[in-house]
């Protein structure tokens, strides 16, 4: 029987849309054999695996305007636009505790995507202990230009979205034949080219990574065409914003954050009957 997966795109603060979708899934008792997330998708996906409905929007509402959370000030003073100690230690360990025990007990496999800056290739890493392996989650969400390179076991990583924004094909290769894909851009979105000179200047020591950044728009737009075809064939089910969201990648306006989350809830509920029908067909075929 083909395994069912959940594939979550990133997108900075736009990812709070995904948190709204996932909270509806939790409310409805939906589960998947595995989940793979990129950047913000990985951030919100881990709270889905730990079963903590409402956690993402709760701490986003409380801390989105806090400079320790994500800010230009943090970037200028530390080299990381996201506050490393605050977001990956103080927040999940003290202020809004992540349920490590529930995460480890969940039989669903959880993967994050990181980009190896030396090879310019994505790596798909399964995490089983969030507290011990938190740096992989941090690496997956470390935006190029605005984050320091994350070194883990001799490898250098940045945002997984640089090389595989929607890792559907990688998840299929891992055995997940039917996948629900949550995107954070509306259907008419097409990615624009990166600034070639900027990429090649900032990452001149990593030419393969710089090349991946320069070509990112082409690979992303080709991926959108592939998703459309797979959706037509019925092997994937896509949930994406039904309208344009007025939210920036680094957003401090709590009302815009809430609106993006609410749209995720709305869109998930609107697609729920169709999703259940799609899931049941997969069970019948299996």
């Amino acid at each position: 029987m083909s395994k069912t997966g959940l594939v979550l795109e990133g997108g900075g603060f736009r990812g709070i849309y995904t948190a709204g979708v996932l909270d509806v899934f939790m409310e409805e008792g939906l589960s998947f054999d595995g989940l793979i997330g990129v950047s913000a998708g990985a951030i919100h996906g881990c709270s889905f695996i730990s079963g903590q409905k409402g956690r993402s929007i709760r701490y986003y509402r409380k801390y989105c305007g806090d400079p320790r959370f994500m800010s230009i000030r943090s970037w200028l003073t530390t080299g990381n636009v996201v506050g490393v100690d605050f977001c990956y230690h103080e927040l999940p360990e003290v202020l809004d505790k992540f349920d490590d025990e529930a995460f480890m007990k969940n039989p669903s496999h959880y993967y994050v995507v990181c980009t190896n800056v030396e090879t310019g290739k994505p790596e798909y890493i399964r995490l089983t202990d969030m507290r011990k392996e938190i740096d992989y989650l941090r690496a997956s969400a470390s935006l190029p230009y605005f984050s320091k390179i994350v070194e883990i076991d001799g490898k250098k990583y940045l945002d997984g979205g640089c090389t595989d924004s929607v890792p559907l094909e990688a998840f299929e290769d891992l055995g997940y034949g039917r996948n629900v894909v949550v995107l954070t851009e509306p259907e008419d979105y097409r990615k624009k080219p990166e600034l070639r000179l900027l990429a090649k200047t900032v990452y001149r020591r990593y030419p393969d990574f710089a090349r991946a950044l320069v070509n990112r728009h082409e690979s992303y737009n080709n991926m959108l065409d592939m998703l459309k075809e797979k959706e037509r064939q019925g092997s994937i089910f896509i949930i994406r914003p039904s309208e344009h969201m007025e939210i920036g990648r680094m957003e401090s306006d709590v009302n815009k954050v809430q609106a993006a989350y609410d749209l995720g809830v709305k869109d998930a509920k609107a697609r729920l009957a169709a999703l259940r029908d799609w899931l049941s067909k997969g069970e019948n075929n299996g």
Side-chain angles (χ1 to χ4, degrees), residues 37-69:
V38 182
S39 195
I43 297 289
H44 301 304
C46 66
S47 289
F48 178 75
I49 298 296
S50 65
Q52 292 177 274
K53 178 179 176 290
R55 179 173 180 266
S56 289
I57 187 59
R58 181 172 63 241
Y59 72 73
Y60 264 58
R61 281 184 57 87
K62 189 169 184 178
Y63 298 113
C64 72
D66 191 318
R68 297 173 299 171
F69 187 68

PDB file of all heavy atoms in Angstrom, residues 37-69:
ATOM      1  N   GLY A  37       8.919  19.051   5.432  1.00  0.00           N
ATOM      2  CA  GLY A  37       8.726  20.494   5.437  1.00  0.00           C
ATOM      3  C   GLY A  37       9.985  21.233   5.056  1.00  0.00           C
ATOM      4  O   GLY A  37      11.105  20.771   5.319  1.00  0.00           O
ATOM      5  N   VAL A  38       9.798  22.377   4.442  1.00  0.00           N
ATOM      6  CA  VAL A  38      10.902  23.249   4.050  1.00  0.00           C
ATOM      7  C   VAL A  38      10.773  24.561   4.802  1.00  0.00           C
ATOM      8  O   VAL A  38       9.711  25.197   4.767  1.00  0.00           O
ATOM      9  CB  VAL A  38      10.870  23.524   2.533  1.00  0.00           C
ATOM     10  CG1 VAL A  38      12.055  24.388   2.126  1.00  0.00           C
ATOM     11  CG2 VAL A  38      10.866  22.233   1.749  1.00  0.00           C
ATOM     12  N   SER A  39      11.818  24.973   5.491  1.00  0.00           N
ATOM     13  CA  SER A  39      11.858  26.287   6.117  1.00  0.00           C
ATOM     14  C   SER A  39      10.652  26.490   7.039  1.00  0.00           C
ATOM     15  O   SER A  39      10.473  25.731   7.987  1.00  0.00           O
ATOM     16  CB  SER A  39      11.945  27.364   5.029  1.00  0.00           C
ATOM     17  OG  SER A  39      12.322  28.609   5.552  1.00  0.00           O
ATOM     18  N   ALA A  40       9.802  27.482   6.769  1.00  0.00           N
ATOM     19  CA  ALA A  40       8.635  27.710   7.622  1.00  0.00           C
ATOM     20  C   ALA A  40       7.698  26.509   7.633  1.00  0.00           C
ATOM     21  O   ALA A  40       7.018  26.246   8.630  1.00  0.00           O
ATOM     22  CB  ALA A  40       7.884  28.955   7.153  1.00  0.00           C
ATOM     23  N   GLY A  41       7.663  25.756   6.537  1.00  0.00           N
ATOM     24  CA  GLY A  41       6.853  24.539   6.508  1.00  0.00           C
ATOM     25  C   GLY A  41       7.343  23.528   7.521  1.00  0.00           C
ATOM     26  O   GLY A  41       6.543  22.843   8.177  1.00  0.00           O
ATOM     27  N   ALA A  42       8.666  23.419   7.678  1.00  0.00           N
ATOM     28  CA  ALA A  42       9.228  22.524   8.689  1.00  0.00           C
ATOM     29  C   ALA A  42       8.933  23.032  10.098  1.00  0.00           C
ATOM     30  O   ALA A  42       8.634  22.249  11.004  1.00  0.00           O
ATOM     31  CB  ALA A  42      10.734  22.401   8.483  1.00  0.00           C
ATOM     32  N   ILE A  43       9.006  24.356  10.271  1.00  0.00           N
ATOM     33  CA  ILE A  43       8.721  24.962  11.581  1.00  0.00           C
ATOM     34  C   ILE A  43       7.313  24.619  12.045  1.00  0.00           C
ATOM     35  O   ILE A  43       7.090  24.182  13.179  1.00  0.00           O
ATOM     36  CB  ILE A  43       8.894  26.499  11.511  1.00  0.00           C
ATOM     37  CG1 ILE A  43      10.345  26.898  11.192  1.00  0.00           C
ATOM     38  CG2 ILE A  43       8.395  27.164  12.795  1.00  0.00           C
ATOM     39  CD1 ILE A  43      11.326  26.668  12.302  1.00  0.00           C
ATOM     40  N   HIS A  44       6.331  24.822  11.169  1.00  0.00           N
ATOM     41  CA  HIS A  44       4.943  24.552  11.563  1.00  0.00           C
ATOM     42  C   HIS A  44       4.619  23.069  11.527  1.00  0.00           C
ATOM     43  O   HIS A  44       3.772  22.589  12.282  1.00  0.00           O
ATOM     44  CB  HIS A  44       3.995  25.350  10.675  1.00  0.00           C
ATOM     45  CG  HIS A  44       4.227  26.830  10.750  1.00  0.00           C
ATOM     46  ND1 HIS A  44       4.188  27.522  11.942  1.00  0.00           N
ATOM     47  CD2 HIS A  44       4.541  27.743   9.795  1.00  0.00           C
ATOM     48  CE1 HIS A  44       4.455  28.806  11.718  1.00  0.00           C
ATOM     49  NE2 HIS A  44       4.679  28.954  10.429  1.00  0.00           N
ATOM     50  N   GLY A  45       5.323  22.343  10.665  1.00  0.00           N
ATOM     51  CA  GLY A  45       5.074  20.907  10.567  1.00  0.00           C
ATOM     52  C   GLY A  45       5.424  20.145  11.824  1.00  0.00           C
ATOM     53  O   GLY A  45       4.759  19.163  12.167  1.00  0.00           O
ATOM     54  N   CYS A  46       6.446  20.579  12.545  1.00  0.00           N
ATOM     55  CA  CYS A  46       6.821  19.838  13.751  1.00  0.00           C
ATOM     56  C   CYS A  46       5.743  19.955  14.829  1.00  0.00           C
ATOM     57  O   CYS A  46       5.518  19.008  15.589  1.00  0.00           O
ATOM     58  CB  CYS A  46       8.192  20.266  14.264  1.00  0.00           C
ATOM     59  SG  CYS A  46       8.325  21.952  14.876  1.00  0.00           S
ATOM     60  N   SER A  47       5.049  21.091  14.888  1.00  0.00           N
ATOM     61  CA  SER A  47       3.950  21.229  15.856  1.00  0.00           C
ATOM     62  C   SER A  47       2.753  20.371  15.460  1.00  0.00           C
ATOM     63  O   SER A  47       1.964  19.965  16.315  1.00  0.00           O
ATOM     64  CB  SER A  47       3.527  22.698  15.980  1.00  0.00           C
ATOM     65  OG  SER A  47       4.519  23.458  16.643  1.00  0.00           O
ATOM     66  N   PHE A  48       2.627  20.075  14.169  1.00  0.00           N
ATOM     67  CA  PHE A  48       1.593  19.140  13.716  1.00  0.00           C
ATOM     68  C   PHE A  48       1.941  17.725  14.184  1.00  0.00           C
ATOM     69  O   PHE A  48       1.075  16.997  14.689  1.00  0.00           O
ATOM     70  CB  PHE A  48       1.484  19.180  12.191  1.00  0.00           C
ATOM     71  CG  PHE A  48       0.486  18.218  11.625  1.00  0.00           C
ATOM     72  CD1 PHE A  48      -0.875  18.474  11.712  1.00  0.00           C
ATOM     73  CD2 PHE A  48       0.910  17.048  11.003  1.00  0.00           C
ATOM     74  CE1 PHE A  48      -1.801  17.578  11.185  1.00  0.00           C
ATOM     75  CE2 PHE A  48      -0.006  16.156  10.470  1.00  0.00           C
ATOM     76  CZ  PHE A  48      -1.367  16.413  10.563  1.00  0.00           C
ATOM     77  N   ILE A  49       3.192  17.341  14.057  1.00  0.00           N
ATOM     78  CA  ILE A  49       3.620  16.013  14.506  1.00  0.00           C
ATOM     79  C   ILE A  49       3.470  15.874  16.018  1.00  0.00           C
ATOM     80  O   ILE A  49       3.102  14.807  16.518  1.00  0.00           O
ATOM     81  CB  ILE A  49       5.076  15.733  14.076  1.00  0.00           C
ATOM     82  CG1 ILE A  49       5.198  15.735  12.552  1.00  0.00           C
ATOM     83  CG2 ILE A  49       5.568  14.411  14.641  1.00  0.00           C
ATOM     84  CD1 ILE A  49       4.416  14.645  11.844  1.00  0.00           C
ATOM     85  N   SER A  50       3.720  16.945  16.756  1.00  0.00           N
ATOM     86  CA  SER A  50       3.582  16.889  18.219  1.00  0.00           C
ATOM     87  C   SER A  50       2.139  17.085  18.669  1.00  0.00           C
ATOM     88  O   SER A  50       1.850  17.012  19.871  1.00  0.00           O
ATOM     89  CB  SER A  50       4.483  17.939  18.893  1.00  0.00           C
ATOM     90  OG  SER A  50       4.072  19.256  18.564  1.00  0.00           O
ATOM     91  N   GLY A  51       1.232  17.339  17.724  1.00  0.00           N
ATOM     92  CA  GLY A  51      -0.196  17.441  18.047  1.00  0.00           C
ATOM     93  C   GLY A  51      -0.577  18.695  18.814  1.00  0.00           C
ATOM     94  O   GLY A  51      -1.588  18.707  19.528  1.00  0.00           O
ATOM     95  N   GLN A  52       0.172  19.782  18.639  1.00  0.00           N
ATOM     96  CA  GLN A  52      -0.077  20.999  19.414  1.00  0.00           C
ATOM     97  C   GLN A  52      -0.865  22.016  18.589  1.00  0.00           C
ATOM     98  O   GLN A  52      -0.324  22.996  18.092  1.00  0.00           O
ATOM     99  CB  GLN A  52       1.252  21.575  19.903  1.00  0.00           C
ATOM    100  CG  GLN A  52       1.914  20.682  20.948  1.00  0.00           C
ATOM    101  CD  GLN A  52       3.262  21.188  21.397  1.00  0.00           C
ATOM    102  OE1 GLN A  52       4.285  20.892  20.774  1.00  0.00           O
ATOM    103  NE2 GLN A  52       3.274  21.952  22.486  1.00  0.00           N
ATOM    104  N   LYS A  53      -2.147  21.757  18.471  1.00  0.00           N
ATOM    105  CA  LYS A  53      -3.038  22.642  17.722  1.00  0.00           C
ATOM    106  C   LYS A  53      -3.016  24.046  18.326  1.00  0.00           C
ATOM    107  O   LYS A  53      -3.108  24.217  19.539  1.00  0.00           O
ATOM    108  CB  LYS A  53      -4.463  22.088  17.734  1.00  0.00           C
ATOM    109  CG  LYS A  53      -5.479  22.951  17.026  1.00  0.00           C
ATOM    110  CD  LYS A  53      -6.861  22.304  17.076  1.00  0.00           C
ATOM    111  CE  LYS A  53      -7.907  23.217  16.443  1.00  0.00           C
ATOM    112  NZ  LYS A  53      -8.181  24.405  17.254  1.00  0.00           N
ATOM    113  N   GLY A  54      -2.876  25.046  17.462  1.00  0.00           N
ATOM    114  CA  GLY A  54      -2.909  26.440  17.907  1.00  0.00           C
ATOM    115  C   GLY A  54      -1.575  26.981  18.382  1.00  0.00           C
ATOM    116  O   GLY A  54      -1.448  28.187  18.628  1.00  0.00           O
ATOM    117  N   ARG A  55      -0.558  26.132  18.492  1.00  0.00           N
ATOM    118  CA  ARG A  55       0.721  26.602  19.042  1.00  0.00           C
ATOM    119  C   ARG A  55       1.371  27.648  18.157  1.00  0.00           C
ATOM    120  O   ARG A  55       1.849  28.681  18.649  1.00  0.00           O
ATOM    121  CB  ARG A  55       1.665  25.418  19.249  1.00  0.00           C
ATOM    122  CG  ARG A  55       3.028  25.820  19.801  1.00  0.00           C
ATOM    123  CD  ARG A  55       3.887  24.609  20.157  1.00  0.00           C
ATOM    124  NE  ARG A  55       5.182  25.039  20.670  1.00  0.00           N
ATOM    125  CZ  ARG A  55       6.281  25.183  19.936  1.00  0.00           C
ATOM    126  NH1 ARG A  55       6.240  24.902  18.636  1.00  0.00           N
ATOM    127  NH2 ARG A  55       7.411  25.599  20.474  1.00  0.00           N
ATOM    128  N   SER A  56       1.391  27.411  16.849  1.00  0.00           N
ATOM    129  CA  SER A  56       2.090  28.330  15.946  1.00  0.00           C
ATOM    130  C   SER A  56       1.487  29.729  15.972  1.00  0.00           C
ATOM    131  O   SER A  56       2.200  30.723  16.120  1.00  0.00           O
ATOM    132  CB  SER A  56       2.081  27.779  14.516  1.00  0.00           C
ATOM    133  OG  SER A  56       2.931  26.669  14.386  1.00  0.00           O
ATOM    134  N   ILE A  57       0.171  29.821  15.804  1.00  0.00           N
ATOM    135  CA  ILE A  57      -0.446  31.150  15.769  1.00  0.00           C
ATOM    136  C   ILE A  57      -0.356  31.812  17.139  1.00  0.00           C
ATOM    137  O   ILE A  57      -0.227  33.039  17.235  1.00  0.00           O
ATOM    138  CB  ILE A  57      -1.911  31.087  15.271  1.00  0.00           C
ATOM    139  CG1 ILE A  57      -2.478  32.493  15.076  1.00  0.00           C
ATOM    140  CG2 ILE A  57      -2.776  30.266  16.207  1.00  0.00           C
ATOM    141  CD1 ILE A  57      -1.714  33.362  14.095  1.00  0.00           C
ATOM    142  N   ARG A  58      -0.355  31.009  18.201  1.00  0.00           N
ATOM    143  CA  ARG A  58      -0.256  31.584  19.541  1.00  0.00           C
ATOM    144  C   ARG A  58       1.066  32.313  19.721  1.00  0.00           C
ATOM    145  O   ARG A  58       1.103  33.477  20.124  1.00  0.00           O
ATOM    146  CB  ARG A  58      -0.405  30.470  20.587  1.00  0.00           C
ATOM    147  CG  ARG A  58      -0.339  30.967  22.024  1.00  0.00           C
ATOM    148  CD  ARG A  58      -0.678  29.858  23.009  1.00  0.00           C
ATOM    149  NE  ARG A  58       0.266  28.745  22.967  1.00  0.00           N
ATOM    150  CZ  ARG A  58      -0.071  27.494  22.659  1.00  0.00           C
ATOM    151  NH1 ARG A  58      -1.325  27.185  22.358  1.00  0.00           N
ATOM    152  NH2 ARG A  58       0.836  26.528  22.668  1.00  0.00           N
ATOM    153  N   TYR A  59       2.177  31.643  19.395  1.00  0.00           N
ATOM    154  CA  TYR A  59       3.450  32.326  19.637  1.00  0.00           C
ATOM    155  C   TYR A  59       3.787  33.332  18.542  1.00  0.00           C
ATOM    156  O   TYR A  59       4.512  34.298  18.796  1.00  0.00           O
ATOM    157  CB  TYR A  59       4.587  31.340  19.925  1.00  0.00           C
ATOM    158  CG  TYR A  59       5.127  30.509  18.782  1.00  0.00           C
ATOM    159  CD1 TYR A  59       5.920  31.062  17.789  1.00  0.00           C
ATOM    160  CD2 TYR A  59       4.919  29.130  18.756  1.00  0.00           C
ATOM    161  CE1 TYR A  59       6.457  30.291  16.781  1.00  0.00           C
ATOM    162  CE2 TYR A  59       5.450  28.337  17.749  1.00  0.00           C
ATOM    163  CZ  TYR A  59       6.217  28.930  16.765  1.00  0.00           C
ATOM    164  OH  TYR A  59       6.759  28.158  15.763  1.00  0.00           O
ATOM    165  N   TYR A  60       3.245  33.156  17.341  1.00  0.00           N
ATOM    166  CA  TYR A  60       3.434  34.190  16.319  1.00  0.00           C
ATOM    167  C   TYR A  60       2.714  35.474  16.724  1.00  0.00           C
ATOM    168  O   TYR A  60       3.256  36.574  16.556  1.00  0.00           O
ATOM    169  CB  TYR A  60       2.929  33.697  14.963  1.00  0.00           C
ATOM    170  CG  TYR A  60       4.007  33.125  14.079  1.00  0.00           C
ATOM    171  CD1 TYR A  60       4.786  32.044  14.507  1.00  0.00           C
ATOM    172  CD2 TYR A  60       4.270  33.651  12.826  1.00  0.00           C
ATOM    173  CE1 TYR A  60       5.779  31.517  13.702  1.00  0.00           C
ATOM    174  CE2 TYR A  60       5.264  33.119  12.009  1.00  0.00           C
ATOM    175  CZ  TYR A  60       6.018  32.060  12.458  1.00  0.00           C
ATOM    176  OH  TYR A  60       6.998  31.541  11.659  1.00  0.00           O
ATOM    177  N   ARG A  61       1.503  35.337  17.219  1.00  0.00           N
ATOM    178  CA  ARG A  61       0.759  36.522  17.673  1.00  0.00           C
ATOM    179  C   ARG A  61       1.509  37.236  18.799  1.00  0.00           C
ATOM    180  O   ARG A  61       1.582  38.455  18.847  1.00  0.00           O
ATOM    181  CB  ARG A  61      -0.638  36.132  18.157  1.00  0.00           C
ATOM    182  CG  ARG A  61      -1.661  35.887  17.061  1.00  0.00           C
ATOM    183  CD  ARG A  61      -3.031  35.603  17.658  1.00  0.00           C
ATOM    184  NE  ARG A  61      -3.473  36.691  18.510  1.00  0.00           N
ATOM    185  CZ  ARG A  61      -4.136  37.774  18.073  1.00  0.00           C
ATOM    186  NH1 ARG A  61      -4.412  37.901  16.802  1.00  0.00           N
ATOM    187  NH2 ARG A  61      -4.502  38.712  18.909  1.00  0.00           N
ATOM    188  N   LYS A  62       2.062  36.467  19.698  1.00  0.00           N
ATOM    189  CA  LYS A  62       2.694  37.041  20.879  1.00  0.00           C
ATOM    190  C   LYS A  62       4.048  37.663  20.577  1.00  0.00           C
ATOM    191  O   LYS A  62       4.415  38.701  21.146  1.00  0.00           O
ATOM    192  CB  LYS A  62       2.845  35.962  21.951  1.00  0.00           C
ATOM    193  CG  LYS A  62       3.301  36.507  23.301  1.00  0.00           C
ATOM    194  CD  LYS A  62       3.165  35.447  24.383  1.00  0.00           C
ATOM    195  CE  LYS A  62       3.517  36.026  25.743  1.00  0.00           C
ATOM    196  NZ  LYS A  62       3.347  35.010  26.828  1.00  0.00           N
ATOM    197  N   TYR A  63       4.805  37.056  19.640  1.00  0.00           N
ATOM    198  CA  TYR A  63       6.195  37.462  19.479  1.00  0.00           C
ATOM    199  C   TYR A  63       6.568  38.027  18.106  1.00  0.00           C
ATOM    200  O   TYR A  63       7.730  38.405  17.903  1.00  0.00           O
ATOM    201  CB  TYR A  63       7.119  36.274  19.781  1.00  0.00           C
ATOM    202  CG  TYR A  63       6.996  35.784  21.198  1.00  0.00           C
ATOM    203  CD1 TYR A  63       6.459  34.520  21.468  1.00  0.00           C
ATOM    204  CD2 TYR A  63       7.384  36.573  22.274  1.00  0.00           C
ATOM    205  CE1 TYR A  63       6.333  34.048  22.769  1.00  0.00           C
ATOM    206  CE2 TYR A  63       7.253  36.117  23.587  1.00  0.00           C
ATOM    207  CZ  TYR A  63       6.728  34.859  23.823  1.00  0.00           C
ATOM    208  OH  TYR A  63       6.602  34.410  25.104  1.00  0.00           O
ATOM    209  N   CYS A  64       5.615  38.116  17.156  1.00  0.00           N
ATOM    210  CA  CYS A  64       6.006  38.559  15.807  1.00  0.00           C
ATOM    211  C   CYS A  64       6.590  39.974  15.796  1.00  0.00           C
ATOM    212  O   CYS A  64       7.390  40.303  14.916  1.00  0.00           O
ATOM    213  CB  CYS A  64       4.830  38.442  14.835  1.00  0.00           C
ATOM    214  SG  CYS A  64       3.513  39.641  15.062  1.00  0.00           S
ATOM    215  N   GLY A  65       6.216  40.808  16.764  1.00  0.00           N
ATOM    216  CA  GLY A  65       6.768  42.156  16.836  1.00  0.00           C
ATOM    217  C   GLY A  65       7.978  42.278  17.744  1.00  0.00           C
ATOM    218  O   GLY A  65       8.542  43.361  17.909  1.00  0.00           O
ATOM    219  N   ASP A  66       8.393  41.154  18.319  1.00  0.00           N
ATOM    220  CA  ASP A  66       9.528  41.142  19.241  1.00  0.00           C
ATOM    221  C   ASP A  66      10.819  41.044  18.424  1.00  0.00           C
ATOM    222  O   ASP A  66      10.993  40.115  17.633  1.00  0.00           O
ATOM    223  CB  ASP A  66       9.399  39.940  20.177  1.00  0.00           C
ATOM    224  CG  ASP A  66      10.380  39.978  21.339  1.00  0.00           C
ATOM    225  OD1 ASP A  66      11.550  40.329  21.111  1.00  0.00           O
ATOM    226  OD2 ASP A  66       9.981  39.626  22.461  1.00  0.00           O
ATOM    227  N   PRO A  67      11.756  41.983  18.584  1.00  0.00           N
ATOM    228  CA  PRO A  67      12.990  41.951  17.785  1.00  0.00           C
ATOM    229  C   PRO A  67      13.830  40.704  18.013  1.00  0.00           C
ATOM    230  O   PRO A  67      14.668  40.354  17.184  1.00  0.00           O
ATOM    231  CB  PRO A  67      13.734  43.216  18.217  1.00  0.00           C
ATOM    232  CG  PRO A  67      13.133  43.604  19.527  1.00  0.00           C
ATOM    233  CD  PRO A  67      11.705  43.169  19.470  1.00  0.00           C
ATOM    234  N   ARG A  68      13.597  40.002  19.112  1.00  0.00           N
ATOM    235  CA  ARG A  68      14.343  38.764  19.361  1.00  0.00           C
ATOM    236  C   ARG A  68      13.842  37.634  18.469  1.00  0.00           C
ATOM    237  O   ARG A  68      14.554  36.645  18.251  1.00  0.00           O
ATOM    238  CB  ARG A  68      14.191  38.333  20.826  1.00  0.00           C
ATOM    239  CG  ARG A  68      14.752  39.306  21.839  1.00  0.00           C
ATOM    240  CD  ARG A  68      14.384  38.859  23.241  1.00  0.00           C
ATOM    241  NE  ARG A  68      12.931  38.820  23.435  1.00  0.00           N
ATOM    242  CZ  ARG A  68      12.330  38.306  24.506  1.00  0.00           C
ATOM    243  NH1 ARG A  68      13.068  37.760  25.479  1.00  0.00           N
ATOM    244  NH2 ARG A  68      11.017  38.324  24.620  1.00  0.00           N
ATOM    245  N   PHE A  69      12.619  37.787  17.952  1.00  0.00           N
ATOM    246  CA  PHE A  69      11.983  36.730  17.168  1.00  0.00           C
ATOM    247  C   PHE A  69      12.495  36.738  15.729  1.00  0.00           C
ATOM    248  O   PHE A  69      13.085  35.776  15.261  1.00  0.00           O
ATOM    249  CB  PHE A  69      10.458  36.923  17.214  1.00  0.00           C
ATOM    250  CG  PHE A  69       9.667  35.807  16.589  1.00  0.00           C
ATOM    251  CD1 PHE A  69       9.647  34.547  17.173  1.00  0.00           C
ATOM    252  CD2 PHE A  69       8.922  36.026  15.444  1.00  0.00           C
ATOM    253  CE1 PHE A  69       8.899  33.513  16.610  1.00  0.00           C
ATOM    254  CE2 PHE A  69       8.174  35.004  14.877  1.00  0.00           C
ATOM    255  CZ  PHE A  69       8.164  33.749  15.451  1.00  0.00           C
TER     256      PHE A  69
END
